[in-house]
Amino acid sequence: MNFDSTSLWQHEKALQRLAGNHALLKRVVEMFINQIDEKYLSLITALSNKEREEVRFISHAIKGVSGDVGAELLRHKASSIEILSASDNWDEIEVQVNGLAEVIDATKSEMVAAHA
């Protein structure tokens, strides 16, 4: 799936949030890249165990860290999962969680390319 790079990562917005500090942004992005896969695997585990509150908590955390680094599409997708977690629609939650992996990979690629 092709994504618009500006919807994946709003680099300038993230930089503004950090008062233009490029070195700090680079560290924040590196931390994000190093931690997002672990958060995603935790979400998969919670989903497979049908732990509604854990799905909500982890998707909320992903939404937060995504917003912090300007990963807007990822933030939006995680927010959708958080909202869905209030339902018993496990099939739709699974579809959304599976789609999240692709957005995570594309976002990380965009970030790595910008800092290469």
Side-chain angles (χ1 to χ4, degrees):
M1 185 179 290
N2 291 330
F3 300 106
D4 173 19
S5 65
T6 58
S7 69
L8 286 173
W9 187 38
Q10 296 182 349
H11 178 268
E12 289 303 317
K13 196 180 221 183
L15 189 57
Q16 285 175 352
R17 256 190 219 119
L18 299 173
N21 188 329
H22 290 273
L24 180 57
L25 178 60
K26 185 174 182 172
R27 284 196 309 269
V28 168
V29 165
E30 287 170 357
M31 286 174 35
F32 172 83
I33 289 171
N34 290 332
Q35 295 174 1
I36 194 67
D37 290 333
E38 184 178 321
K39 288 185 186 316
Y40 179 74
L41 290 175
S42 296
L43 183 60
I44 291 288
T45 300
L47 173 64
S48 67
N49 294 329
K50 292 192 162 101
E51 297 171 331
R52 181 185 326 203
E53 188 57 25
E54 195 66 12
V55 169
R56 187 199 66 75
F57 178 77
I58 296 166
S59 58
H60 180 79
I62 291 172
K63 178 180 79 173
V65 297
S66 299
D68 289 344
V69 297
E72 287 303 308
L73 184 57
L74 185 54
R75 184 192 61 77
H76 176 72
K77 296 279 190 188
S79 178
S80 296
I81 294 167
E82 180 183 13
I83 292 165
L84 272 172
S85 69
S87 74
D88 280 328
N89 191 348
W90 291 105
D91 291 337
E92 182 60 22
I93 294 169
E94 183 174 0
V95 167
Q96 294 297 318
V97 169
N98 289 338
L100 197 65
E102 203 171 347
V103 176
I104 288 170
D105 289 344
T107 301
K108 290 188 321 184
S109 293
E110 184 72 23
M111 290 173 164
V112 168
H115 282 287

